[in-house]
């Protein structure tokens, strides 16, 4: 281990210059400080005096002089200050950057290998977050850029039968996940107040961990919702909320499976799988055709159900900030903030999709009603004119006989008179 030289400046008579000599020591970890000595030289001293030893004994000045030359040669010291002392520069930045990168990597490996749940380390996609992150980023790029560009000059695909099978699969898959959450703890075993994670090899704990992994896997299958929109050229359905929600969920759930597979956070999976049972049931019925459409009046309540889900998750997560529970506070904040963000995103979507649309529909209906009233008024006038056609025929010659140059005015006069005679 090398110690940096410590520069000391002593008061010196006028007309002398300051020379700095550096001594290098091999020090142990228990060494407190290592200092370099300075020597004042007058202008009359010769080279022999400059090569003399510096400090209280120790090594000769020749070695110190060579050390100084080496230091100045490789640029370890900056220019002189106003007082004449040498100013050290940051010379070990490349080395420090390498050490920082090594420290970050070692911390990452320690987090992944030693602080995560060892039961899941060998499971698919659980060695690190980067495969999941890459898939999520590619999903976002495909549905927003690559997919629409691919379908730009192509006809939309007819995927009605495929979507029926897909939605049926999602209903069955979500129902099984919901059952696993209940059977693994939430049906009478887990506490809604505080539930630590069981990291043992108990069969019930392993069953919950495996259920969490399958829930993580289900987030990738839900990418097909958006891919179907792309292939059917329903790009107006690919909202920002839709992409953010589907793109972030696999990454969020990955951290839960890696570090806390089960326990308090699995309550979110319990609610979410139930919501998905209802949601994909609606999509399944909608894919069956227009005959079912009259029975799908409850579509807007799906968004309300999702918002209720996020409110319950917020309450359930943040209660651990006020009780003593052996559960990582970092995941309390992760789940709670996640629920807050998506609650407001879904609320904005609900307002935009239903309340504003409802007001727009009302305005359009009012405008249509006014137009219909105007049209019916015009038709009634037209009917009256048809009933007075005989009067016009009998009086036409008389009217045009004595005033031939103002036929238009006479025609209006006749029409008005004919209506008044009705």
């Amino acid at each position: 281990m090398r110690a940096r030289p410590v520069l000391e400046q002593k008061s010196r008579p006028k007309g002398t210059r300051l020379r700095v000599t550096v001594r290098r020591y091999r020090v142990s970890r228990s060494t407190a400080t290592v200092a370099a000595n300075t020597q004042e030289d007058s202008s009359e001293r010769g080279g022999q005096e400059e090569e003399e030893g510096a400090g209280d004994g120790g090594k000769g000045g020749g070695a110190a002089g060579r050390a100084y030359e080496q230091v100045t040669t490789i640029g370890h010291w900056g220019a002189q200050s106003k007082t004449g002392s040498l100013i050290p520069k940051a010379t070990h930045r490349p080395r420090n950057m390498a050490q920082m990168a090594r420290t970050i990597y070692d911390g990452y490996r320690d987090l992944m290998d030693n602080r995560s749940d060892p039961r899941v380390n060998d499971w698919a996609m659980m060695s690190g977050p980067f495969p999941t992150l890459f898939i999520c980023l590619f999903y976002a790029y495909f549905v927003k850029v690559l997919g629409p560009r691919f379908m730009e000059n192509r006809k939309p695909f007819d995927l009605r039968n495929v979507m029926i099978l897909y939605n049926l699969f999602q209903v069955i898959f979500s129902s099984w996940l919901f059952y696993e959450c209940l059977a693994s703890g939430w049906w009478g075993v887990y506490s809604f107040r505080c539930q630590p994670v069981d990291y043992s090899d108990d069969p019930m704990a392993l069953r919950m961990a495996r259920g969490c992994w399958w829930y993580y896997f289900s987030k990738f299958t839900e990418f097909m919702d958006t891919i179907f929109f792309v292939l059917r050229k329903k790009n107006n359905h690919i909202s920002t909320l839709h992409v953010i929600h589907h793109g972030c969920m696999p990454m969020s759930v990955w951290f839960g499976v890696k570090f806390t597979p089960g326990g308090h956070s699995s309550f979110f999976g319990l609610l979410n799988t139930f919501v998905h049972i209802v949601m994909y049931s609606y999509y399944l019925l909608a894919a069956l055709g227009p005959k079912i459409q009259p029975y799908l009046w409850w579509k807007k309540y799906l968004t309300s159900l999702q918002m209720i889900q996020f409110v319950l998750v917020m309450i359930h997560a943040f209660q651990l900030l006020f009780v003593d529970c052996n559960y990582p506070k970092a995941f309390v904040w992760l789940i709670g903030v996640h629920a807050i963000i998506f609650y407001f995103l879904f609320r904005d979507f609900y307002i935009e999709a239903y309340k504003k649309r409802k007001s727009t529909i009302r305005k359009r209906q009012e405008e249509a009603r006014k137009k219909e009233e105007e049209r019916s008024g015009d038709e009634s006038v037209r009917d009256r004119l048809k009933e007075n056609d005989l009067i016009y025929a009998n009086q036409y010659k008389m009217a045009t006989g004595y005033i031939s140059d103002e036929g238009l005015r006479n025609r209006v006069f006749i029409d008005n008179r004919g209506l008044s005679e009705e």
Side-chain angles (χ1 to χ4, degrees), residues 188-316:
V189 179
Y190 275 16
S191 170
F192 289 93
R193 181 75 171 168
C194 169
Q195 183 59 49
V197 181
D198 186 357
Y199 293 100
S200 69
D201 291 331
D202 180 77
M204 185 74 74
L206 287 174
R207 182 177 183 179
M208 174 60 80
R210 285 191 293 267
C212 291
W213 187 91
W214 280 108
Y215 175 71
Y216 157 76
F217 175 78
S218 72
K219 300 296 112 179
F220 293 110
T221 65
E222 292 170 10
F223 284 172
M224 295 304 299
D225 294 358
T226 325
I227 294 175
F228 287 149
F229 285 147
V230 173
L231 298 179
R232 297 166 60 209
K233 302 186 76 169
K234 302 284 186 180
N235 295 332
N236 57 325
H237 289 32
I238 308 175
S239 62
T240 302
L241 169 63
H242 187 94
V243 177
I244 292 177
H245 178 66
H246 285 277
C248 290
M249 283 300 296
M251 200 72 252
S252 300
V253 178
W254 183 91
F255 283 101
V257 179
K258 181 68 173 178
F259 297 98
T260 58
H264 204 77
S265 61
S266 59
F267 179 74
F268 176 80
L270 175 72
L271 291 180
N272 192 240
T273 51
F274 174 76
V275 171
H276 282 192
I277 293 172
V278 180
M279 183 179 71
Y280 283 106
S281 297
Y282 169 84
Y283 292 151
L284 174 62
L285 295 174
L288 293 177
K291 294 182 179 180
I292 309 297
Q293 293 298 326
Y295 305 99
L296 301 180
W297 50 267
W298 45 278
K299 176 183 178 181
K300 67 177 182 178
Y301 296 106
L302 289 176
T303 308
S304 301
L305 183 63
Q306 288 174 316
M307 289 192 292
I308 293 173
Q309 164 197 213
F310 293 126
V311 171
L312 293 176
V313 170
M314 279 188 279
I315 297 173
H316 184 259

Side-chain angles (χ1 to χ4, degrees), residues 2-3 12 15 32 83 134 146 157 159 177 221 226 246 263 295 335 376 386-387:
R2 295 183 178 180
R12 58 188 185 282
T83 60
F134 172 78
L146 190 61
F157 289 93
L159 302 175
L177 290 173
T221 65
T226 325
H246 285 277
Y295 305 99
I335 297 170
S376 61
K386 287 182 179 179
E387 292 176 359

